[in-house]
DNA sequence: ATGAAAGCGCTAACAC
DNA sequence: GTGTTAGCGCTTTCAT
């Protein structure tokens, strides 16, 4: 069935040269006679020769592949980065191997091993957990280029591209407080994820610096999908004394909160004020428009690629840990609480 | 720096057996003495041996990799499918190589070649163009498993998983007509994309079967991103005699239309009715909720994987061309036109 | 049950 | 300028 592929030998034979010469002509290195080169190229073309990158890789020790491991490719944040990385990598003639960890630490370890054994040249990873780092440490120790995105791990000595989660959350919650809210809910994802920790820390700081006590019953954990967040929102607002405002830690959860609140008949911002981390397409379409903490998402993928390629090309610089600032984009989803919070 | 990896030879030596025996023990085939096997496994574990999949691939002729080529990974439709494919492929211990064609036919050809030379075992692709099929025909001819998703190409003899674009569009537009609209705009993507053709055909059929003439000035082409669609919408509604309703061919464009209309002060559905192809998370959050043609998206990725793996496992069945029906989900974005169309 | 050895397709050091 | 050749790490046939 599958006709065996044309190999370098076939080309060499057809061009009446040795494999070495054929390879030189094809890859354009070393000395090759113009005449021979032409014959080789012609033969390759005629025969439909495609180099076998696996064989090349075995010989050279590496495959021009980059592993990208987001928490969830369906999250628009990661999809955008995947896109940007894919595009930028093309300039380096590298392909992208995407394997989502599904936010499962074990799966992250397994997939990483699996990709390592493919001799990929480097990784861009959004680590699922702050506690799960041995495999990454090992990776770095073995000299494999790695850049962490979205979530940095101080204990792993590698480049990272993140955002000021703490500051962003603090700004969002402070804004809510400045608008008179004191009972502010937090819908966040699993606290082993470092961004969740940072955003939680920002939330707590904002509260405490305004003398507001942190009420655990206002904090709820959800997986980062619209469906789970709807559910979490409903649970949060079904509790005896509900918050007057809520802060969500990513765009999928913001959308879930929106949907959840609506299903309970709670209008934004009249009944409940809302601020979300991470902007999204329809944030300005909803009525009201949603106030968000925007991240400079367009810069993340490109910088990650740049740092990674520098490592691949042998850079020995100390880790570059980029942390971009966030920006509070005030729209219309926050108003003063309509009445004093119940109890 | 990078300590050279532990190879099979190291393991064999440590276990005092030959490479052959070590390989047999590690891969669990052939006859291996229980004793030897144990020593090998222990040695492998102690040394931290990881098989070199590139070498295996060179030997076996294939890499357990599947190439996935969507038009745009940022489109939630493709992101969802990528996710489902990734997950299902894991059961077969295959990894996913995602390379977005960016809806560029040339790039599609190039990337496909590039992935082919990696000896990937099969492809799942959403072809960018109905006119650009030679490379796919060649792929199939060479016996490489291929399944087309979202967009089928009758001339390419391979499995495909699509949706009834024509029927879905016809139903949407008929619904608009049933609500009294006669000047119905169409915001679609490049007509070389087969889904665009199908949806356009459905649009035209619905119009004609109700005796409405097709007005080219109501059809506008946009790239499939929110930004481009906003722009297209504004252009469409800036024309002298604007439509009273509009049909958009994917969810990103639907969102763009929503944003564009709002920016022009045109309320949905009072000033303009709207139906979009492909459902999306916030379709029920917007006010009004958006009426859409829903696709059974959860079935696409899994079926594509199933078909592909069957081919990889040698199936010689004639091409399975699945075409799922769509479903019109009536929500609130359509009303009767407020006044007779101008002109 | 185990080992020896051929060879997957390619690159690059070395020889001519 | 071109050819020869030794592997890269692994699987697998063929002996034993």
């Amino acid at each position: 069935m599958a006709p065996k592929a044309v190999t370098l030998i076939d080309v060499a034979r057809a061009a009446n040269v040795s494999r070495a010469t054929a390879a030189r002509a094809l890859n354009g290195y070393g000395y090759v006679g113009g005449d021979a080169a032409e014959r080789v190229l012609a033969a390759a073309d005629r025969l439909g020769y495609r180099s076998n990158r696996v064989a090349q890789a075995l010989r050279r020790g590496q495959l021009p592949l980059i592993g990208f491991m987001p928490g969830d490719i369906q999250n628009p944040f990661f999809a955008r980065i995947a896109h940007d990385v894919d595009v930028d990598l093309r300039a380096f003639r590298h392909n992208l191997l995407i394997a989502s960890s599904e936010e499962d630490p074990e799966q992250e370890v397994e997939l990483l091993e699996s990709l390592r054994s493919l001799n990929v040249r480097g990784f861009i990873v959004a680590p699922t957990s702050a506690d799960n780092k041995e495999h990454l440490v090992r990776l770095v120790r073995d000299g494999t280029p790695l850049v962490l995105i979205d979530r940095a791990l101080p204990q792993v000595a590698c480049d990272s591209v993140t955002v000021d989660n703490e500051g962003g959350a603090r700004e969002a919650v402070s804004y809510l407080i400045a608008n008179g809210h004191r009972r502010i809910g937090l819908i966040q994802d699993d606290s082993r994820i470092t961004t969740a920790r940072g955003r939680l820390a920002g939330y707590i700081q904002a509260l405490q610096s305004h003398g507001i006590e942190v009420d655990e019953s206002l904090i709820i954990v959800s997986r980062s999908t619209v469906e789970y967040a709807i559910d979490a929102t409903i649970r949060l607002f079904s509790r005896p004394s509900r918050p007057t405002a809520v802060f969500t830690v990513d765009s999928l959860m913001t959308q879930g909160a929106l949907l959840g609140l609506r299903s309970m008949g709670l209008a934004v911002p009249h009944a409940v004020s809302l601020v979300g981390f991470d902007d999204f397409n329809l944030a300005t379409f909803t009525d009201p428009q949603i106030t968000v903490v925007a991240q400079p998402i367009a810069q993340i993928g490109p910088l990650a690629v740049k740092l990674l390629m520098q490592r691949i090309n042998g850079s020995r610089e100390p880790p570059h840990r980029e942390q971009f600032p966030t920006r509070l984009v005030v729209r219309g989803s926050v108003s003063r609480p309509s009445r004093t919070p119940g109890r």
Side-chain angles (χ1 to χ4, degrees), chain A:
Chain A
M1 191 84 233
K4 63 185 71 54
V6 179
T7 73
L8 186 61
I9 298 204
D10 301 322
V11 175
R13 195 170 296 150
N16 246 302
V17 294
S18 71
R19 275 145 64 211
T21 302
R24 283 191 276 255
L26 257 8
N27 300 321
Y29 66 76
Y31 297 100
V32 205
D35 187 39
E38 239 168 72
R39 287 205 315 281
V40 170
L41 265 6
D45 195 48
R46 179 156 38 82
L47 268 37
Y49 171 76
R50 273 177 293 118
S51 68
N52 182 328
R53 290 170 71 196
V54 171
Q56 292 182 327
L58 179 59
R59 184 58 233 249
R60 303 209 255 238
Q62 289 197 308
L63 217 40
L65 242 37
I66 299 300
F68 177 60
M69 201 171 318
D72 170 17
I73 191 65
Q74 280 189 85
N75 188 314
F77 174 81
F78 287 124
R80 168 66 189 269
I81 293 176
H83 171 268
D84 291 350
V85 168
D86 186 24
V87 170
D88 278 25
L89 239 28
R90 273 206 264 274
F92 298 97
R93 320 208 103 260
H94 276 56
N95 290 120
L96 230 212
L97 205 41
I98 302 184
S100 166
S101 66
E102 307 281 308
E103 301 294 8
D104 175 348
E106 272 180 47
Q107 190 157 293
E108 176 182 323
V109 174
E110 246 173 61
L111 285 174
L112 205 81
E113 283 303 291
S114 156
L115 298 197
R116 278 191 80 172
S117 62
L118 272 178
N119 291 358
V120 313
R121 303 199 65 186
F123 289 94
I124 296 179
V125 177
T128 51
S129 168
D131 308 321
N132 180 232
K133 47 187 182 297
E134 293 69 30
H135 60 303
L136 296 173
V137 169
R138 219 180 309 134
L139 197 68
V140 173
R141 183 159 22 78
D142 291 351
T144 307
L146 165 68
V147 3
L148 263 23
I149 56 163
D150 191 46
R151 312 155 186 185
L153 261 25
Q155 311 91 333
V156 181
C158 68
D159 299 328
S160 60
V161 184
T162 58
V163 128
D164 182 8
N165 293 299
E166 211 168 297
R170 194 167 50 226
E171 192 176 2
V173 176
S174 297
Y175 175 71
L176 251 10
I177 295 172
N179 273 272
H181 294 275
R182 299 186 67 81
R183 296 186 58 72
I184 300 172
L186 173 68
I187 301 182
Q188 67 163 352
D189 46 7
D190 196 311
S191 65
R192 61 177 162 64
I193 300 178
T194 67
T195 48
R197 294 188 183 182
R199 292 168 198 179
L200 172 63
Y203 166 88
I204 292 176
Q205 282 167 25
L207 253 28
Q208 293 184 337
S209 72
H210 288 85
I212 302 174
E213 216 174 303
V214 175
D215 179 348
E216 296 283 343
S217 78
L218 296 180
I219 300 178
I220 198 160
V221 169
S222 161
R223 297 200 52 166
S224 176
T225 71
V226 173
E227 293 71 23
Y228 277 92
I230 290 175
D231 188 60
T233 304
I234 293 175
R235 277 184 289 126
L236 176 60
F237 283 87
S238 299
R239 290 177 181 171
S241 70
R242 55 170 62 135
T244 61
V246 61
F247 173 55
T248 49
V249 305
D250 85 12
S251 72
L252 258 16
M253 295 198 206
T254 306
Q255 296 183 27
L258 242 19
L259 261 10
L261 289 172
R262 211 249 333 260
S263 80
M264 297 179 78
L266 294 170
V268 174
H270 311 299
V272 178
S273 288
L274 172 69
V275 179
F277 208 105
D278 200 15
D279 204 353
F280 56 102
N281 279 334
L282 283 189
T284 66
F285 183 75
T286 54
D287 182 20
Q289 297 184 25
I290 310 302
T291 294
V292 301
V293 176
Q295 317 185 57
I297 184 169
Q299 303 186 49
I300 300 178
L303 178 56
V305 171
K306 187 178 151 212
L307 293 171
L308 188 66
M309 293 314 298
Q310 282 174 356
R311 291 292 167 194
I312 288 178
N313 292 325
S315 160
R316 288 273 171 282
E317 302 283 301
H320 177 110
R321 305 185 190 261
E322 182 73 43
Q323 188 187 54
F324 288 116
T326 59
R327 193 166 47 85
L328 181 69
V329 180
V330 173
R331 298 202 267 243
S333 61
V334 173
S335 69
R336 303 196 74 82
S338 47
R339 41 175 179 183
T340 46
R343 159 81 198 102

